[in-house]
Amino acid sequence: MNDAHANESATKNENTIGCPAVFIAAPASGQGKTTVTAALARMLRRRGQVVRVFKTGPDYLDPRVLAQASGQPVDQLDLWMAGEAYCRQRLFEAAREADLILVEGAMGLYDGEPSSADLAALFGLPLVIVMDVKGMAQTAAALVAGLAGFRDDIRITGLIANACGSQRHRELIEAALPVSVPLLAAVPRDTALALPERHLGLVQAEEIRDDLEARFDAGAEALAAEGLGEALLSLPPVVFSPAPSEASAPPAWLAGRTIAVARDAAFSFIYQANLDLLERMGARLHFFSPLTDRGLPACDALWLPGGYPELHAAGLAANAALRDDLQRAFAADLPILAECGGLLYCLETLTDVDEKTHAMLGLLPGAGAMRGRRGCQGMQTAELPEGEVRGHAHHRSQAGGTPAPIAHGRRQRHPAPGEAIYRSRRLTASYLHLFFPDNPAAIARLFGADAADASRSSEAPPTDSTLDQTKECHA
């Protein structure tokens, strides 16, 4: 058997699959990664190709924009929050159906632990740098050369110069680039291509769907004129393999249970991976709108995720019928998980972005308010009585007058206590956004699964936790 046949046989035996893939990175935030990634996805989709897009890090807004552009679901990839096996399996599954995989990075290429570069290196993903070149020319080439030479375990295949001012601007950058990192495209400086933003990031895709369509199409045309689709599809395929641990699905701990999930313009920070896990554990999901529904659906547990309640506080306060139903569910000891915006909704009052104060649910003592441009963000582990679950915090509000927390998040790289975690009756509330697949057994217990059953396959602490009840939150 010759080497080629031996390699082919090994590939089949290992159940691997090859697919062109590109990691879209940048030297910093704000360079236009999402704009370019969405335009690439739309360009190839218009050509009839299947593009699967992933977003690095804990992000709710960008994935929904990218899902609209690509017409495909978009999952998060994060080595700390989700783990290598999870990321490996998602990429493998995408490679089975895609003509091209795009992974959009977070922050700068080398920022964070683990960084975008770490993820690209682990899975052998070639990198394309997106850089806002406004106000520079040859210096852009110097920055790219520095990024390319900083580590020897990654491969940067080219530069997309964003916000390029003219043909001459393009020529100056292209002439200065090293031969190994060619200029793949120059995106013109045009406000019609940029994606709208607000205080926590991009404006939600659902709010500006038609506007986004116009921006996607304009970006797709700009990149198609550069011949970028052919360049990316002709890259050597990346070989992806499944994660062995994915073979064992979580038990049906939530079989027969209905979980009501708040989902509307005020509550929309929901990982698709979280919904998928709940359904794999047997739960039935019933979505409802705290803004417009006048009654709570019949359910065994509730999830109030994060979102923008500060933009919709008046509407939430006006829906007295649903507020009464939620208060009755709390009094009846239904399990409730409230994350970030959900926490604000559970407090007594919320002062919105216009500094007007509105009555909220009153399930927890305390008042929520916006605090300008200062915010809190970062990766943390929620030290819950049901078990530890990794997640993150990202908010520009504060909660005051709250009760003593039962625990705090444990920061990824800092010794100070993280976000406070509150428990009242069967309500668990915190600023933390949890990534459910990190600890399915703990999540099952949060939503009312039998603790003994869920513990049999978990190494989580017992439910009678003796965590310190009196720590101050320094988030």
Side-chain angles (χ1 to χ4, degrees):
M1 181 182 294
N2 62 35
D3 291 342
H5 288 152
N7 290 338
E8 181 181 354
S9 176
T11 297
K12 290 180 179 178
N13 289 339
E14 293 168 6
N15 197 29
T16 57
I17 189 166
C19 179
V22 177
F23 197 112
I24 306 296
S29 297
Q31 303 294 295
K33 293 191 302 292
T34 305
T35 298
V36 169
T37 305
L40 280 171
R42 176 53 57 89
M43 176 188 67
L44 293 165
R45 180 183 177 189
R46 286 168 60 171
R47 293 172 44 159
Q49 278 144 340
V50 176
V51 185
R52 286 299 310 274
V53 187
F54 293 90
K55 171 64 182 177
T56 304
D59 193 307
Y60 295 101
L61 300 171
D62 293 8
R64 279 150 51 203
V65 169
L66 297 171
Q68 182 179 333
S70 66
Q72 297 289 333
V74 174
D75 287 330
Q76 286 73 20
L77 297 180
D78 187 274
L79 290 175
W80 184 83
M81 187 174 72
E84 177 183 339
Y86 177 89
C87 296
R88 185 176 299 280
Q89 186 67 18
R90 298 290 85 74
L91 287 167
F92 173 75
E93 291 171 354
R96 290 191 295 192
E97 63 185 46
D99 297 304
L100 178 71
I101 292 173
L102 294 174
V103 181
E104 184 196 335
M107 302 183 294
L109 173 58
Y110 296 111
D111 296 327
E113 296 177 16
S115 64
S116 292
D118 293 327
L119 184 66
L122 179 63
F123 296 112
L125 304 174
L127 288 140
V128 169
I129 299 299
V130 172
M131 186 184 303
D132 188 323
V133 297
K134 182 180 179 181
M136 69 173 100
Q138 291 90 344
T139 300
L143 291 173
V144 170
L147 291 171
F150 191 72
R151 281 173 53 168
D152 60 9
D153 60 345
I154 62 168
R155 179 168 58 93
I156 295 177
T157 62
L159 168 68
I160 297 176
N162 191 29
C164 194
S166 66
Q167 178 63 25
R168 179 56 179 160
H169 190 189
R170 175 198 179 114
E171 291 169 355
L172 290 171
I173 296 169
E174 189 167 21
L177 284 168
V179 175
S180 61
V181 187
L183 182 65
L184 298 176
V187 181
R189 193 178 303 161
D190 187 348
T191 56
L193 303 179
L195 302 176
E197 298 186 54
R198 61 160 62 115
H199 60 284
L200 288 181
L202 297 180
V203 176
Q204 297 182 90
E206 292 80 0
E207 299 178 42
I208 52 171
R209 182 168 294 279
D210 292 341
D211 180 45
L212 285 178
E213 286 296 307
R215 294 173 189 271
F216 295 154
D217 289 340
E221 289 170 9
L223 293 180
E226 300 278 332
L228 192 54
E230 290 78 6
L232 297 184
L233 289 169
S234 65
L235 288 170
V238 177
V239 177
F240 297 99
S241 58
S245 62
E246 287 289 321
S248 57
W253 287 316
L254 295 174
R257 299 186 66 80
T258 297
I259 300 175
V261 183
R263 186 169 70 177
D264 58 17
F267 302 99
S268 57
F269 291 3
I270 301 172
Y271 292 130
Q272 184 62 44
N274 286 3
L275 299 176
D276 293 344
L277 176 69
L278 293 176
E279 291 185 326
R280 288 203 309 272
M281 293 194 294
R284 295 185 299 269
L285 304 183
H286 194 143
F287 298 98
F288 71 100
S289 169
L291 286 171
T292 60
D293 288 345
R294 298 305 169 190
L296 183 68
C299 60
D300 304 293
L302 283 162
W303 179 19
L304 303 174
Y308 285 113
E310 65 271 20
L311 300 180
H312 303 277
L316 293 171
N319 194 349
L322 186 67
R323 183 171 66 243
D324 291 345
D325 271 8
L326 288 168
Q327 290 168 343
R328 282 191 286 268
F330 170 76
D333 285 332
L334 259 69
I336 305 173
L337 174 63
E339 301 177 316
C340 200
L343 162 66
L344 296 177
Y345 188 36
C346 288
L347 299 177
E348 295 167 300
T349 62
L350 173 59
T351 301
D352 64 18
V353 291
D354 298 319
E355 298 187 353
K356 295 180 180 178
T357 301
H358 306 271
M360 293 289 106
L361 296 177
L363 307 186
L364 275 179
M370 301 305 293
R371 55 178 180 182
R373 294 190 62 82
R374 292 187 62 230
C376 178
Q377 61 183 340
M379 308 295 258
Q380 299 182 26
T381 299
E383 297 186 330
L384 299 167
E386 291 77 12
E388 294 188 352
V389 185
R390 290 185 172 186
H392 82 287
H394 182 53
H395 59 94
R396 287 187 179 171
S397 64
Q398 58 189 355
T402 50
I406 64 161
H408 289 82
R410 187 175 70 250
R411 298 178 188 271
Q412 182 188 8
R413 296 186 302 273
H414 196 284
E419 299 290 354
I421 300 170
Y422 304 103
R423 179 68 57 87
S424 178
R425 303 183 75 100
R426 298 193 72 184
L427 165 68
T428 302
S430 175
Y431 268 119
L432 289 172
H433 301 267
L434 304 181
F435 189 73
F436 294 0
D438 179 58
N439 189 340
I443 295 301
R445 289 197 290 272
L446 269 180
F447 285 113
D450 181 87
D453 287 345
S455 292
R456 291 190 185 110
S457 301
S458 170
E459 297 179 359
T463 55
D464 57 341
S465 172
T466 57
L467 290 168
D468 182 2
Q469 309 265 322
T470 61
K471 292 181 181 177
E472 294 292 330
C473 177
H474 299 288

